Amino acid sequence: MPASPSTARAINDRLALRLLQQEGPLTAGRLKQLTGLSRPTVADLVERLTAAGLIAVVGEAGEQRRGPNAKVYGIVADRAHLAALDVRTEGVAVLVADLVGRVLAEASVPIGGEAGTGPAVEQAVTLVERVAKEAGADRLHTVGIGAPGLIDPASGELRHSTGLPEWHRRLVATLQERLPEARVSVENETNLAALAEQRDGAARDRHTFVLLWLGHGTGAAVVLDGALRRGASGGTGEIGFLPVPGTAALPSSTDCEGGFHSLASAAAVVALAAEFGIPVAESEVGVVRAAVGVVRGAVAQAGQQQAGSLDGPAPAVAFLDALAGRIAVGVASVVAVLDPGCVVLGGEVGRAGGVELARRVRDRLARMTPLPTEVRATTLGGGAVLRGALLTARERAQEELFPPGSGRG
């Protein structure tokens, strides 16, 4: 059946708002081109959305015709303020942005392992409140949190997990208590990083890909046909529990030691470096920073070797080859099941390895599977999780603020 006039107006309004979200400010003429709607229909929807306070004139643009300049319309940015959190085992990073995604303030704070649950939660919440104040946000509309671990698909909460600080789970509830007007939600960090890579990073041209997270632990995010897949229990991508060759035992239902985690976690990377005689000051900088440092050093030596400025064998290059072989084992298992065509290496270790590590993993993977698979390095630096958290917070806020028919007069 054809849509009723009111339904058609609601659909058109949502389409226009979505384009303004994705493209930024646009003229009515450009909206007409992008939507395919008639000029009178676009004029009507612009009038409705402006009257509803959803969009406003933000400037003018010259057109290739005589007459006055065309008005440029954009989403009212200060209609809502959003917060994004990247919750790590050793600290938390926070940013506050407006409704169009412009970052207004950001900061981070380390939280040591010796901190108790209560003090750790208080540190994190205080940081959110401080950054919101610095951003000039009287209140936060939506808060998106990225954290390691499983998210219960029924409750949307972090599930209890061994090896992760208890303050992670307490943080979500405490934020909701301290910010009663805000919509607070949590998502797995790797899933958020994948959304960011799909929107702004290494997977912008891919509708199907897997992000492999290499950091303190290991994880994977699966995007199929443009949609993030979480699985029946929210556990899609828990690759750390994947049984693989090269480990001394099998993982258990409560401990991923013996799985792929034992080959590619930060601690495993540091131990592998020691096998090649590479000194690592883990106790001084922490296991993740130690792993990042040794991988960066190996990449640098690989570059010197390729340039011919390195004489003789380099233990660091041999270490990089061994690490690439380990990673390829996990990637090959994912490829055999999903055939994603593209795998992005993210996380702190993946980022440190960059293009050089990705190339070596790709070469080893090509010898292990007949399925053609690109292996790419993340292009988002250390802000992938925060970027993904902001994208999801912005999406949820706009879904609520701009529901179907919200601009209808």
Side-chain angles (χ1 to χ4, degrees), residues 37-119:
L37 300 172
S38 67
R39 187 178 298 275
T41 299
V42 170
D44 287 344
L45 73 83
V46 167
E47 183 179 354
R48 285 195 302 274
L49 296 174
T50 302
L54 302 178
I55 67 173
V57 176
V58 296
E60 294 184 345
E63 300 230 343
Q64 301 302 317
R65 58 175 176 80
R66 295 180 180 180
N69 291 341
K71 295 177 180 178
V72 177
Y73 298 90
I75 290 174
V76 178
D78 60 358
R79 188 178 175 90
H81 288 97
L82 319 169
L85 281 71
D86 180 5
V87 178
R88 320 298 300 164
T89 55
E90 69 280 1
V92 62
V94 178
L95 65 79
V96 172
D98 61 24
L99 193 54
V100 298
R102 183 173 62 246
V103 176
L104 304 174
E106 57 185 316
S108 62
V109 63
I111 298 178
E114 70 282 356
T117 298

Side-chain angles (χ1 to χ4, degrees), residues 157-242:
E157 298 177 351
L158 271 171
R159 289 165 53 180
H160 177 74
S161 177
T162 58
L164 294 177
E166 177 63 23
W167 67 266
H168 283 194
R169 296 180 69 243
R170 287 274 300 278
L171 175 60
V172 180
T174 304
L175 275 172
Q176 192 65 80
E177 292 172 3
R178 296 271 281 269
L179 305 170
E181 297 181 344
R183 292 83 179 154
V184 180
S185 62
V186 62
E187 177 62 271
N188 175 267
E189 60 179 352
T190 308
N191 286 345
L192 291 178
L195 293 176
E197 294 287 357
Q198 184 183 32
R199 177 69 178 271
D200 301 315
R204 280 175 294 180
D205 60 336
R206 305 290 308 195
H207 291 290
T208 295
F209 72 99
V210 169
L211 173 75
L212 179 62
W213 185 271
L214 301 168
H216 186 274
T218 59
V222 178
V223 177
L224 301 178
D225 299 324
L228 182 67
R229 309 294 180 174
R230 295 178 175 83
S233 64
T236 295
E238 285 297 311
I239 195 173
F241 286 89
L242 182 72

Side-chain angles (χ1 to χ4, degrees), residues 30-43:
R30 184 60 178 151
L31 275 171
K32 175 182 178 296
Q33 293 175 346
L34 293 173
T35 62
L37 300 172
S38 67
R39 187 178 298 275
T41 299
V42 170

Side-chain angles (χ1 to χ4, degrees), residues 230-265:
R230 295 178 175 83
S233 64
T236 295
E238 285 297 311
I239 195 173
F241 286 89
L242 182 72
V244 292
T247 61
L250 290 174
S252 71
S253 60
T254 59
D255 191 351
C256 56
E257 287 297 331
F260 181 63
H261 175 90
S262 295
L263 290 185
S265 67

Side-chain angles (χ1 to χ4, degrees), residues 245-322:
T247 61
L250 290 174
S252 71
S253 60
T254 59
D255 191 351
C256 56
E257 287 297 331
F260 181 63
H261 175 90
S262 295
L263 290 185
S265 67
V269 171
V270 169
L272 180 64
E275 291 179 18
F276 284 86
I278 302 171
V280 181
E282 174 190 346
S283 60
E284 297 177 11
V285 298
V287 66
V288 176
R289 289 186 180 180
V292 166
V294 74
V295 171
R296 282 180 178 163
V299 169
Q301 287 204 15
Q304 294 174 359
Q305 189 177 68
Q306 292 167 8
S309 58
L310 189 65
D311 296 328
V317 176
F319 153 77
L320 193 63
D321 285 333

